[in-house]
Amino acid sequence: MEKLIGQTRLVLTQGDITQADTEAIVNAANSRLVGGGGVDGAIHRAGGPEIMAECRKIGSCPTGEAVITTAGRLKAKKVIHTVGPIYRGRPEDPRLLASAYSNSMDLAAKHGLRTVAFPSLSTGAYGYPLDAAAKVALQALKQGIEKNSDKFDEVRFVLFGKDAFEAYAEALGRI
Ligand code: ADP
């Protein structure tokens, strides 16, 4: 499923983000950049130790911000590590989630990375409800594409499982 925003394709797919053939993939990291389960564990396993070596040099990343490293053995050229909020039902949750998406896009644009794949940030271990997260994510990406017009050919979600795909498909219909 996809939608054209300016010259950029916003695409929804189902699968494993470590296999994405985009120039950049985004990691759902934690703020100490120490590695964890979910997307983070899968990226470090598939990409090899070079990624963690660069994360250690960087040290940390506050919630809502993003940093960039090599992609090691992955097909992608770069991994952008961003930290979504741990869901607590507070007013700042959507703002921090939107920042994680928009700062990742700004960093990709700054590095000339024209195709970017995102996972569904914060909806695994961090507990953000899928429907609410999908709405915030797609609005943030639409704004990020509009802000960085002509910088991206494709912005893709790689969603793990049918429930996530359906939640994002529903939200894409509304933006
Ligand atoms: P967070 O800590 O930000 O919640 P998680 O990695 O725990 O991050 O989960 C984020 C989302 O990514 C979840 O919806 C989870 O199902 C999904 N996910 C887990 N592994 C992968 C993968 N290899 N590719 C794409 N999505 C994945």
Side-chain angles (χ1 to χ4, degrees):
M1 186 172 178
E2 68 179 78
K3 188 166 192 155
L4 200 61
I5 298 171
Q7 308 286 1
T8 304
R9 293 183 308 277
L10 178 53
V11 182
L12 304 185
T13 63
Q14 219 180 300
D16 174 0
I17 197 162
T18 63
Q19 303 304 311
D21 59 2
T22 47
E23 291 183 315
I25 65 172
V26 177
N27 182 17
N30 54 55
S31 56
R32 290 184 301 133
L33 302 176
V34 287
V39 175
D40 192 280
I43 286 176
H44 287 291
R45 265 196 309 279
E50 263 186 276
I51 303 175
M52 185 53 76
E54 283 193 26
C55 284
R56 276 202 206 94
K57 281 187 202 149
I58 296 167
S60 64
C61 177
T63 303
E65 296 190 20
V67 299
I68 190 164
T69 67
T70 175
R73 297 194 293 255
L74 298 174
K75 280 183 218 156
K77 292 181 185 159
K78 293 283 184 183
V79 175
I80 292 173
H81 306 261
T82 191
V83 184
I86 297 172
Y87 184 76
R88 296 191 177 91
R90 296 189 201 164
E92 61 263 38
D93 293 341
R95 182 178 58 73
L96 289 168
L97 185 59
S99 295
Y101 282 102
S102 65
N103 285 321
S104 298
M105 292 191 75
D106 289 349
L107 200 51
K110 198 173 133 197
H111 285 261
L113 301 161
R114 299 193 58 85
T115 54
V116 186
F118 281 89
S120 172
L121 299 172
S122 283
T123 60
Y126 283 4
Y128 212 116
L130 209 40
D131 291 339
K135 193 174 149 204
V136 172
L138 285 167
Q139 273 168 0
L141 286 199
K142 181 170 183 260
Q143 281 173 15
I145 290 170
E146 286 165 351
K147 178 179 163 197
N148 295 289
S149 65
D150 302 331
K151 294 271 173 64
F152 296 112
D153 297 322
E154 182 177 321
V155 178
R156 183 189 305 175
F157 270 104
V158 181
L159 300 158
F160 215 50
K162 193 161 164 269
D163 289 355
F165 184 83
E166 282 172 1
Y168 278 73
E170 160 91 20
L172 184 63
R174 293 177 190 273
I175 63 164

